[in-house]
Amino acid sequence: MSEQSAKRRGRPRAYDPEVALARATETFWEQGYAGASLDDLSAATGMNRPSLYGAFGDKQALFKTALDAYMDRSRAAMTEAFRGGGSLGEVLTRIYRTALGFYLSGDAGGRGCFLTSAGLGQAVIDQEVRQTVADGLHELDQAIEALMKRRQARGELPPTVDPVALGRVASMMMNALSVRARAGETREQLEATIPVMVALICGPPDRRDERS
Amino acid sequence: MSEQSAKRRGRPRAYDPEVALARATETFWEQGYAGASLDDLSAATGMNRPSLYGAFGDKQALFKTALDAYMDRSRAAMTEAFRGGGSLGEVLTRIYRTALGFYLSGDAGGRGCFLTSAGLGQAVIDQEVRQTVADGLHELDQAIEALMKRRQARGELPPTVDPVALGRVASMMMNALSVRARAGETREQLEATIPVMVALICGPPDRRDERS
DNA sequence: GCTTTTTCATACTGTTTCGCATAAAAATAA
DNA sequence: TTATTTTTATGCGAAACAGTATGAAAAAGC
């Protein structure tokens, strides 16, 4: 989409926009919208204030860009987790592990989901952020509900259960994982809950595979 | 503990410390630690800055006092919900409803759990807050785990299930409710998930009672 | 080499922030 | 009334805050 190497007129920029956005995202992720000052963001990205404004606009715009970019990354990873085959339990396990990969990233301990940590912090104040976050959660809800419907049609779930209600709760369990990750629980503790959740959703744990 | 009416020496205070703390808590609850300025807190409590400092210390101390007070209120309500009789499903339903009562309080839409909304926002920055929040979550985990053990002993849960693991997931579902409440879901949506969660935990929903 | 274009770097402006100093106000004690 | 005690009220001061103006630096075009 963008011209790269050949012929850009002026002084070349000293930063990689994608890397800078990733660093800014991490800053918001850890410190929240209000807690992240422009000096923090400037230090994290290596960009000085005017460059930040030139590239991303003001603080609110940067936050929303970070939110959108996170959702894109998250969506891509989740699409991958959904795609692969296996039993319903295996797919759910993959989904939860993928989520944990996001929630436990970072050096200073688990940060949880960016949507529910930094995003929801602003949700009560900024209605547009709340809507974006709500849409993001809803999107995942629907994906899992659709998964449940497909698997029920295949006979992996008893016909008596409501796949939409079950999918919603399965999706909400990810929110719980985010909370616990940010509260400082270890990867081991969190991964140990995954089979319990999967067993609850998939019914009797006839057989379960584990891998490190 | 404190002398009330009779003979206090100086000028009487113009505020009720408990009411003021409740208002300050609501301000942190909605806007987070960094998002709540001392002017906001001053306006919410009706106390001017020096009175705030005299009563609660600096901003950090006030936040931690608010956190402790919230945990006390929450603990009291939860103790009540645990105490009453009924089947395991009925007790869990009461617990979740009690939680929702907290999460949906407030005028500007759901605020979620103070611990996981405002508290976790600070958790990554302030290690002491993270520990307090983690302890609070752990306390509830243990209470639910103990409930599960008792009910399993009574035969309400099959002997094959792990009551600790099940209790932990049941506790985590409250965190999920908090997230969804703050994301703006309605009371109706949230209450509709309660029976689904309860059914997952208690196994086959042989009979369920509902009340508005 | 000179101009044009784009970005970087410094530093500024006005506002907001937190915490506190100072003094007035409102009560009791003598 | 006068002194003492405790709280309120005003507002100060240094730092941090978001956003921007101004000019230097680094590239391409000519």
Side-chain angles (χ1 to χ4, degrees):
Chain A
M1 280 64 179
S2 69
E3 15 42 27
Q4 218 92 291
S5 46
K7 37 188 165 190
R8 279 188 57 80
R9 250 321 204 118
R11 176 172 174 171
R13 45 174 60 132
Y15 59 91
D16 177 346
E18 287 190 31
V19 172
L21 182 56
R23 297 277 177 280
T25 302
E26 285 168 17
T27 306
F28 281 130
W29 203 341
E30 279 172 16
Q31 313 195 334
Y33 178 83
S37 72
L38 282 185
D39 282 337
D40 292 333
L41 293 165
S42 184
T45 57
M47 302 163 66
N48 44 31
R49 216 87 54 77
S51 296
L52 266 179
Y53 279 86
F56 303 110
D58 70 357
K59 195 180 171 186
Q60 263 201 325
L62 173 56
F63 184 77
K64 285 169 183 171
T65 303
L67 202 55
D68 289 339
Y70 177 87
M71 285 172 69
D72 287 345
R73 280 204 309 135
S74 167
R75 191 178 359 246
M78 278 300 158
T79 301
E80 193 70 18
F82 274 82
R83 200 191 310 270
S87 68
L88 175 57
E90 285 168 342
V91 176
L92 280 176
T93 300
R94 215 159 48 219
I95 289 171
Y96 288 141
R97 288 213 174 124
T98 300
L100 275 186
F102 280 82
Y103 304 165
L104 291 171
S105 66
D107 326 303
R111 296 179 296 200
C113 173
F114 182 72
L115 279 186
T116 58
S117 297
L120 281 186
Q122 272 304 92
V124 175
I125 292 146
D126 186 327
Q127 206 60 28
E128 187 185 334
V129 169
R130 170 175 266 186
Q131 192 57 52
T132 303
V133 173
D135 290 347
L137 295 178
H138 192 54
E139 184 184 335
L140 197 53
D141 285 356
Q142 287 190 305
I144 298 197
E145 288 163 13
L147 172 71
M148 293 293 174
K149 283 184 193 163
R150 288 196 302 272
R151 297 311 179 113
Q152 186 179 47
R154 278 206 224 168
E156 284 192 81
L157 286 172
T160 53
V161 309
D162 176 356
V164 172
L166 192 66
R168 193 168 130 77
V169 171
S171 181
M172 288 173 72
M173 295 215 186
M174 269 188 276
N175 305 144
L177 285 176
S178 166
V179 167
R180 295 303 178 117
R182 193 166 176 101
E185 294 193 358
T186 65
R187 176 179 293 276
E188 290 70 37
Q189 288 178 286
L190 293 167
E191 294 214 327
T193 69
I194 292 181
V196 182
M197 294 173 170
V198 170
L200 280 182
I201 293 164
C202 297
D206 293 326
R207 48 176 199 275
R208 175 104 9 76
D209 58 336
E210 47 237 64
R211 76 195 96 161
S212 83
Chain B
M1 284 64 180
S2 70
E3 15 40 27
Q4 216 89 296
S5 48
K7 37 188 167 189
R8 279 191 54 82
R9 247 326 202 118
R11 175 172 176 171
R13 46 173 61 131
Y15 61 90
D16 177 345
E18 287 191 32
V19 173
L21 182 56
R23 297 277 178 282
T25 302
E26 285 169 16
T27 306
F28 280 131
W29 203 340
E30 280 172 16
Q31 314 195 333
Y33 178 83
S37 72
L38 282 184
D39 282 337
D40 293 334
L41 294 164
S42 184
T45 57
M47 300 162 68
N48 42 33
R49 217 85 53 79
S51 296
L52 266 179
Y53 278 86
F56 303 110
D58 70 357
K59 195 179 171 186
Q60 262 202 326
L62 174 56
F63 184 78
K64 285 169 182 171
T65 303
L67 202 56
D68 290 338
Y70 177 87
M71 287 173 70
D72 288 344
R73 281 204 307 137
S74 167
R75 187 174 8 240
M78 278 300 158
T79 301
E80 193 70 19
F82 274 83
R83 201 191 308 273
S87 68
L88 175 58
E90 285 168 341
V91 177
L92 279 177
T93 300
R94 216 159 47 220
I95 289 172
Y96 289 141
R97 288 212 174 125
T98 301
L100 275 187
F102 279 81
Y103 304 164
L104 292 171
S105 67
D107 326 304
R111 295 179 296 200
C113 173
F114 182 70
L115 280 187
T116 57
S117 297
L120 281 187
Q122 273 304 93
V124 175
I125 292 146
D126 186 328
Q127 206 59 30
E128 188 186 332
V129 169
R130 172 176 262 187
Q131 191 57 52
T132 302
V133 173
D135 290 347
L137 296 178
H138 191 55
E139 184 185 334
L140 198 52
D141 285 357
Q142 287 189 305
I144 298 196
E145 289 164 10
L147 172 71
M148 294 294 175
K149 283 185 192 163
R150 287 197 303 272
R151 297 310 179 113
Q152 185 178 46
R154 279 205 221 167
E156 285 192 79
L157 285 172
T160 53
V161 309
D162 177 355
V164 171
L166 193 65
R168 191 169 133 77
V169 171
S171 182
M172 289 173 73
M173 294 214 185
M174 269 188 277
N175 305 143
L177 285 175
S178 165
V179 167
R180 295 303 177 118
R182 192 166 176 103
E185 296 195 356
T186 66
R187 177 180 291 277
E188 290 69 38
Q189 288 178 287
L190 293 166
E191 293 213 329
T193 69
I194 293 181
V196 182
M197 293 173 172
V198 170
L200 281 183
I201 293 163
C202 297
D206 294 326
R207 48 176 201 275
R208 173 105 8 77
D209 56 338
E210 44 239 65
R211 76 194 98 159
S212 83

